[in-house]
Structure formats: structure tokens, C-alpha cells
Amino acid sequence: KTRVDRLLLIGTTAPLLAPEALRAAVSEAKQGRDVGRYDAILAAVREILPGDINAVPDSAWVDRTNRQVKAESDRLETELKGYKNNLIKESIRMGYDDLGQHFHRTGDLVNSVKAYGRMRDFCTTASHVVIMSLRLINVSIDQGNWLAVQTNVQKLRSPGQLSTEAQQMAAKLSAAMGLALLASGNFREAAQEFVEADPRMTQARLDDPSDAEAFNEVMTPNDIAVYGGLCALASMDRNELQKQVLENGKFRTYLELEPHIRRAITFFVSSKYSACLNILESYRSDYLLDIHLQRHLGELYFRIRSKAIQQYFIPFSRVTFGALASAFDTNEHTIEQELTSMIKRKHLDARIDLVDRVLLSRTANARSDLHENALRTAKEYERTAHLRILRMEMLNAGLEVSDKGKPGANTTLENVGLDPYHGGASTGNWLSEGIGRSLRSGLRG
């Protein structure tokens, strides 16, 4: 399914590659049993390649596939009813598993989730729970239900479910969680998941669907390297990149599959920002055709470039637009727009002088900050002292109300939330008048 989705994305976003990608998508779809996906591809072919032979629907294949899908569904449901009548939990679990996989292959994701959900009550071992959760994770990824992906991963990671099978699937769990966080825009958390992924996935045989270490239905080890590297560049500082990425033995195995990502991170850590950004720009077109990266690539690249400009600007109090444009291999007009956007989004604490065309750092006024802190401390001290004096006057005036039925439970005006200092003029006047009347009564006595 991911192969068809990726081909369809390429066909609808890359005009030069569209004919070949869409034809390959049609051929790939006809090898499966998902008629709905086949119809979606045909709609794209008719829109982009109206005169192509593949734009004509294969009615014979559609009718034959629909009959096969219905016959298979009836057979599996009949078998499941027989298993329920026999009350054999393992057979019922396997029946729901087969039914869920069948619905998943045919594109009926809602019924697939229902089948796997009902399968939960018949799981008797930890391995059964792991299998069920992985099935749900795969279906949720196809649905785009990222909250469900995170929920199922957390269940497998919980201490009660931390079995040997779950530990063996640690790489898949990290990849799925990282993908869900990436889709949600949490780039830092996604980077932490990807860089801590178990390297055993790199040893999987990508051409063997039966390999338990492979995660080809979602992503490859190369994808983990790219996603993890870009998210780390967008969210981590140079020290974190050095310690958590480049010196990370687990993630180094993935970075060896994508050496240009490792070079880009190395250049960033070494303050060679222009070289880092040039590497990333050279691969932008490839990443725009990635099914999971496409919608986030602009934000990722913006954050990476913003971090580079921030790091470059730290040692200076003022930098000309020309120097910035030269350092980042662009023109002054573009760098001006980038700086304006960064300042508006609060990614850069600086000012722009359009007359002299320079970027100015904001210098902190230590004396003013000291005065503000002193005034804030004095006001807090005054408020505390006022409250303490008021409490003493209330006790002396006998304004304390105690609950005799509950020993030790005293209720005062202060305890019920009346703040005479910040409660407004009416509250303060009322308290002052009450205390005055009490004191005058005491003096007359």
C-alpha cells in the first residue's frame, strides 16, 4: 500500500515523472485487491493524462476483484462464527486476525480496526498482544490516525506489556512513534524517537516481506536516517547534535545509509552553515516527493535555516545584509525577508535597520533590569507585610471564626480568599472599617 501511495504522490506532484509514476501506480494497484484505491488512481490519471490508455477503467478486473473480496469476506466470517460456536479462544483470535488483515488489504480500514479491537479479548499471551498492537499501528498509519498510533505504542512500552517480543519490535515502535510525532509537528520529540531507534532494522532484508525486522509497509531504514536527521537539525542545538546524533552508536548505523545527512549535521556542528544548507537544498526535490516529509519540509527547512542564522549572529552586535547574504549564499532581498519572518515569529531577538541595511542585536539594559527586579521584590515584600499585620489586627480584634465541631479547623477572612491588598478599594475599606469598629468597641469597654 505504501508503494502505491508513494507512486500516486509522485504522479500528482512531479509533472516530469507523472506519466511513468501513474502507470506504475495503476499496475501496482491491480496486483492487490483495493478497488477504492484503484479508482482514486484512475481519477488522477484521467485528470493528468486524459488520453492515456490507463485512464480507461478495467471493468473486468474490478468486477472480478469485487466478487473475490466478497467471497473471501463471507468465508472468513463463516469460519469465525464456527470458531465462536466452538468457544476456542485461540481459533477466535486467529479468525479476527485473518479478518482484520483481509479488510486491511482490501482498503476497508474501519472494519479492519474493529476486527483487531475485538481480537483483544482473545489474546492470551504477550506475543498475541504485540501482534495485535502492531496490526493496529499499521492500520492507524494508513488512516492517518496518529493519536491511535501513539496510544498503541505507549501500551506496548508500558511496564506491564514490556515483553521479549515488544523489545524485539523496539525499532518498529520507535519508527512508528517518531512518524506520529513528525506528522503532529513535534519535531524534537520525533528526533529523539528516531535517533534512539534500535539498529537491528538496518539488518532486515528489504526484499523479503516475511522478515520480522523489516518495516517496509511503513518506512525503510533510509527513511529513519532522513527523518531523524532533519528533525534533529530543526530542533536541537549544536551540542545536542554532537552528543545525541553524531556520537550516538545506534543512530550512526542509520546515518551510514544516508551519508549526506551525516555530512550536513557535521557541517552544522562545525559552524559551516552554508555547506550544510547547500547539501539540504540539493535534496529538496527528492524530499518533496516523500509521502511523510512533503507537508513538513518547508517548516523543517525554515527552522534549520533560522537556527543557522541565529548561531551565526550570536558573536556580533550588528551585521550587514550583504555579509549575511554572502555567508548564506543568497541575495540581500531574500535575507531581508527571512530576517523579517524570523523576528515576527520570535525566532530572532534583533532589530532591522532598513536605512543602513544592517541587523542589530538587542542589548540588555542591566541597570533597568536591576531596578525592575528591586521594585518587584519591594512590592512583594510590602504585600506580605501588609497581610501579616492585617492578620495580627484581626486576631486582636476577635474577628477570627472557628468551627468548634471540627477541632483545629479555623476559618478567617484571609483563608476564604479575601485579599485586602489586591481585592479592590471596597474590600480594603470594609476590612478597615470593621477592624476600626472592633477596636473602638474594645476601648469603650
Side-chain angles (χ1 to χ4, degrees), residues 31 78 98 122 132 167 172 190 206 278 322 367 388 392 403 417-418 423 440:
Q31 294 180 15
T78 302
D98 294 338
F122 302 95
M132 177 206 64
Q167 293 175 359
K172 292 185 179 182
L206 301 182
N278 287 337
R367 184 174 182 179
R388 290 180 177 176
M392 292 172 59
D403 187 356
L418 289 177
R440 284 194 295 273

Side-chain angles (χ1 to χ4, degrees), residues 18 35 46 67 73 76 79 109 175 197 217 228 232 247 253 275 280 327 333 350 362 405 408 422 436 445:
V35 178
R46 285 194 293 268
R67 287 195 301 269
S73 299
L76 291 173
E79 290 181 355
L109 301 181
E217 62 271 23
E247 296 179 1
T253 308
L280 297 180
H333 179 69
R362 293 183 181 273
H422 291 84

Side-chain angles (χ1 to χ4, degrees), residues 49-62:
L49 305 172
D52 193 87
I53 189 174
N54 290 291
V56 180
D58 189 347
S59 302
W61 178 85
V62 172

Side-chain angles (χ1 to χ4, degrees), residues 30-49:
K30 292 176 70 174
Q31 294 180 15
R33 292 185 173 184
D34 192 345
V35 178
R37 196 176 299 258
Y38 174 75
D39 292 337
I41 296 172
L42 282 186
V45 173
R46 285 194 293 268
E47 180 179 354
I48 299 172
L49 305 172

